[in-house]
Amino acid sequence: MKETGVKSNAVGLETLGILEAKEVLWNLPPAALVEEAIKNAEGYLTDTGALMCDTGKFTGRSPKDRFIVKDERTADTVWWGDINIGFDPEKFDLLQKKMVDFLKDRKLYVRDAYAGAHPDYRLNLRIVNTQAWQNLFCHNMFLRLTPEELASHVPDFTIICVPEFLADPEVDGTRQSNFAIINFTLNTILIGGTGYAGEIKKGIFSVLNYMLPQEKNTLSMHCSANVGQDGDTAIFFGLSGTGKTTLSADPNRGLIGDDEHGWTDDSVFNFEGGCYAKVIDLTQEKEPQIWDAITFPAIVENTRFVPGTRTVDYTNKSVTENTRTAYPIDHIANAVEPSRAGIPQNIFFLTADAFGVLPPVSKLNTSQAMYHFISGYTAKVAGTEVGITEPQTTFSACFGAAFLPLHPTRYAEMLGRKMQESNVNVWLINTGWTGGPYGIGHRMKLSYTRAMITAALQGDLEQVAYTMHPIFQVAIPDSCPNVPADILNPRNTWADKDAYDAKALELAASFIKNFSKYADYASEEILAGAPHAAAIA
């Protein structure tokens, strides 16, 4: 087996049973990986120096094909169900052997890296790829080792990612030919049958979501985070379309990270070393930081060129609307190094409420924060997904249900404890509609939303008077600098007040219905954060 590149002196691939690969290329630098990708016909170089690649049949994650091995370690700890689907340990062993056999006489790209920008919470990684561009993705997205660290690197978790390997569902126990399977006892993730690199990233996120709360008393979070010049940390939770990336990207604040973080007793730290951003309809005017970041060795996925050029056409949706870019975090000019800061002073839950019910800014108490955290609410509007013709409520526990191995109440209770210990402010920010629902009202101006967040960060909302929302019971500020007072209470923006009340009751009922599946596990403190029950009756 021919091996080249810079490898660890501590442990090789023999522990995985990989002994007969044609060639193993260890920890190649980005330029060499780009050369390999182009030589292998995996992608094209764009005019900014980024590498354009296609992910094949799958242009997004496949949640129904993500499994966790159910064994003595996980049987009583994992939140089993539609999100965490059990997989037989013996089937895993047989499938891994088949994958290793499949790798005989193939060229492999191996990347050593780590997750967790805090030395006490890092997870050492090894990723084995058959495609050079995916190995470059891992270089961009995970934290990069120094030469000294690389020499003694021993992986805590290993990922074997082979898009060309197709499972036989009847024999291997998978649902179909593609799969992503986490084994917490063997510290291994197997990914096959899919070229979507996001499966690698989110696989490790799921691992940290399992290990950190249980083993390190650390809250793992699907959020972005930034820090002010005075060291004040802010966290932004929000589902797709709520403005999480846009609102956390503030030229006056340092970027800690855009997607995955841990909250320890004394800090917030980024899990990753890069950013994985959507680029559909990207423009330099709307997202200048992301636009400027897409240079070598960034990757753009499933995009297309302007005909006759090597310029990316970000409006092209012919492959998917889920076009993305992956780039090292230091491509963002104001990224902090290392990617961590102190405990947060402010937390923002972002929602794009298409029903025009929720206030544009409101303050939550501890119970409400835990309740809304578990709810993870936003609304999808027409055009966001095929088949959606009118607004639809969307709930995702902890703003990332697909990546939570533990029950959502575990994370919510930890959030509540940390809120009380650190006296953090929690704000609900509606970036959605005002003056009526989608189709009648209009989207909240971004400038107003930014002004509300700035006011919260600067403490300008500490001394103002508040009005309690009669149904959701959240505290609405009566005034906010640089924001018209008449838009702060959403009921006042509706011409038909009775219609607002009816829509508010309807949305509150949706919250309560969604929460019913968690209610048996929720504490009284969490349940106290629900919309006012008397208003629903």
Side-chain angles (χ1 to χ4, degrees):
M1 183 167 65
K2 180 182 177 183
E3 296 183 289
T4 57
V6 182
K7 60 178 291 189
S8 168
N9 296 322
V11 61
L13 295 182
E14 66 279 354
T15 57
L16 301 174
I18 299 175
L19 304 173
E20 301 179 51
K22 177 181 179 182
E23 185 177 7
V24 180
L25 302 177
W26 287 86
N27 297 301
L28 292 187
L33 286 171
V34 171
E35 289 175 351
E36 286 282 319
I38 294 173
K39 182 174 66 175
N40 298 343
E42 296 174 9
Y44 302 91
L45 205 60
T46 74
D47 59 7
T48 68
L51 181 68
M52 178 191 288
C53 299
D54 279 2
T55 64
K57 176 182 177 181
F58 294 93
T59 58
R61 292 180 302 101
S62 183
K64 294 185 182 299
D65 298 297
R66 172 220 187 242
F67 305 91
I68 296 176
V69 172
K70 191 171 187 177
D71 55 19
E72 290 184 1
R73 180 177 183 185
T74 60
D76 296 326
T77 53
V78 168
W79 175 41
W80 301 108
D82 294 338
I83 290 174
N84 298 308
I85 306 167
F87 199 83
D88 182 80
E90 294 182 2
K91 291 285 188 182
F92 182 92
D93 294 341
L94 293 172
L95 186 59
Q96 181 171 346
K97 184 178 185 306
K98 286 178 66 174
M99 291 183 74
V100 169
D101 289 342
F102 183 84
L103 297 179
K104 290 179 180 178
D105 300 323
R106 289 180 178 267
K107 181 188 287 189
L108 304 181
Y109 302 90
V110 181
R111 174 69 42 192
D112 289 319
Y114 68 100
H118 190 303
D120 296 337
Y121 303 91
R122 67 187 284 171
L123 184 74
N124 288 327
L125 307 175
R126 173 162 293 162
I127 308 100
V128 179
N129 301 109
T130 54
Q131 296 183 359
W133 84 265
Q134 290 202 336
N135 202 248
L136 178 63
F137 176 92
C138 296
H139 168 274
N140 290 351
M141 291 309 306
F142 295 121
L143 289 154
R144 293 158 284 278
L145 297 165
T146 65
E148 294 76 20
E149 290 173 327
L150 180 58
S152 58
H153 183 75
V154 177
D156 300 313
F157 237 89
T158 300
I159 303 173
I160 303 176
C161 181
V162 189
E164 304 88 350
F165 178 86
L166 302 178
D168 180 346
E170 292 187 6
V171 175
D172 299 322
T174 58
R175 187 180 72 97
Q176 49 186 20
S177 59
N178 63 297
F179 56 89
I181 312 171
I182 304 172
N183 190 319
F184 284 106
T185 297
L186 299 181
N187 294 340
T188 302
I189 301 175
L190 303 180
I191 301 173
T194 173
Y196 186 66
E199 295 282 13
I200 302 173
K201 164 188 160 69
K202 290 306 184 185
I204 291 301
F205 185 42
S206 296
V207 168
L208 292 168
N209 281 334
Y210 180 78
M211 298 175 67
L212 289 178
Q214 296 189 103
E215 301 173 10
K216 299 284 190 176
N217 191 34
T218 295
L219 176 61
S220 52
M221 304 175 293
H222 189 211
C223 67
S224 59
N226 63 27
V227 60
Q229 296 177 1
D230 295 331
D232 61 300
T233 300
I235 292 173
F236 298 80
F237 290 94
L239 302 178
S240 179
T242 60
K244 181 180 65 168
T245 300
T246 299
L247 293 169
S248 63
D250 185 334
N252 298 314
R253 297 175 65 83
L255 179 68
I256 303 170
D258 81 329
D259 199 39
E260 303 171 5
H261 294 82
W263 181 353
T264 74
D265 290 339
D266 61 1
S267 68
V268 167
F269 66 95
N270 192 356
F271 290 165
E272 301 182 305
C275 301
Y276 193 39
K278 290 185 176 181
V279 294
I280 195 67
D281 294 325
L282 178 72
T283 66
Q284 189 171 19
E285 293 71 28
K286 288 194 303 183
E287 298 283 2
Q289 288 187 308
I290 296 175
W291 180 276
D292 292 341
I294 306 177
T295 59
F296 176 86
I299 297 168
V300 283
E301 293 179 355
N302 299 314
T303 55
R304 289 295 179 264
F305 292 127
V306 174
T309 76
R310 286 297 180 97
T311 300
V312 178
D313 178 6
Y314 290 111
T315 67
N316 191 311
K317 306 175 184 179
S318 60
V319 179
T320 178
E321 291 197 2
N322 190 36
T323 53
R324 288 184 175 266
T325 181
Y327 51 84
I329 195 170
D330 58 17
H331 281 208
I332 300 296
N334 62 332
V336 298
E337 176 64 35
S339 300
R340 64 178 188 266
I343 60 175
Q345 285 74 54
N346 290 280
I347 297 174
F348 298 95
F349 294 163
L350 306 176
T351 179
D353 176 24
F355 302 100
V357 167
L358 295 177
V361 57
S362 55
K363 193 172 186 180
L364 309 183
N365 61 33
T366 300
S367 294
Q368 292 165 347
M370 291 190 286
Y371 186 91
H372 282 268
F373 185 56
I374 292 178
S375 298
Y377 165 71
T378 193
K380 295 178 180 178
V381 297
T384 57
E385 290 184 9
V386 176
I388 294 180
T389 58
E390 58 184 34
Q392 291 186 4
T393 55
T394 300
F395 297 95
S396 182
C398 308
F399 299 94
F403 321 116
L404 304 181
L406 308 178
H407 195 279
T409 54
R410 290 285 301 276
Y411 305 96
E413 288 168 355
M414 184 171 283
L415 174 69
R417 289 197 300 273
K418 289 188 174 294
M419 280 183 61
Q420 293 171 338
E421 292 167 0
S422 58
N423 195 32
V424 64
N425 294 315
V426 181
W427 308 90
L428 181 63
I429 302 290
N430 177 17
T431 64
W433 274 254
T434 183
Y438 175 82
I440 297 176
H442 57 86
R443 190 93 189 244
M444 182 63 60
K445 288 184 178 179
L446 179 60
S447 60
Y448 291 160
T449 300
R450 288 192 183 279
M452 295 171 202
I453 290 175
T454 298
L457 291 171
Q458 293 179 347
D460 294 335
L461 299 181
E462 293 295 327
Q463 304 302 322
V464 303
Y466 282 81
T467 298
M468 195 72 69
H469 192 283
I471 296 174
F472 283 88
Q473 301 290 291
V474 296
I476 307 170
D478 292 344
S479 62
C480 178
N482 301 311
V483 178
D486 58 2
I487 72 167
L488 294 174
N489 191 319
R491 190 174 189 269
N492 295 340
T493 68
W494 283 52
D496 186 339
K497 303 298 189 283
D498 291 338
Y500 173 83
D501 293 340
K503 187 61 70 174
L505 287 171
E506 180 183 328
L507 181 60
S510 295
F511 267 80
I512 291 174
K513 180 181 179 182
N514 170 73
F515 200 88
S516 62
K517 57 180 172 284
Y518 310 119
D520 290 345
Y521 298 88
S523 65
E524 289 299 322
E525 185 177 22
I526 295 175
L527 293 172
H532 201 281
I536 310 297

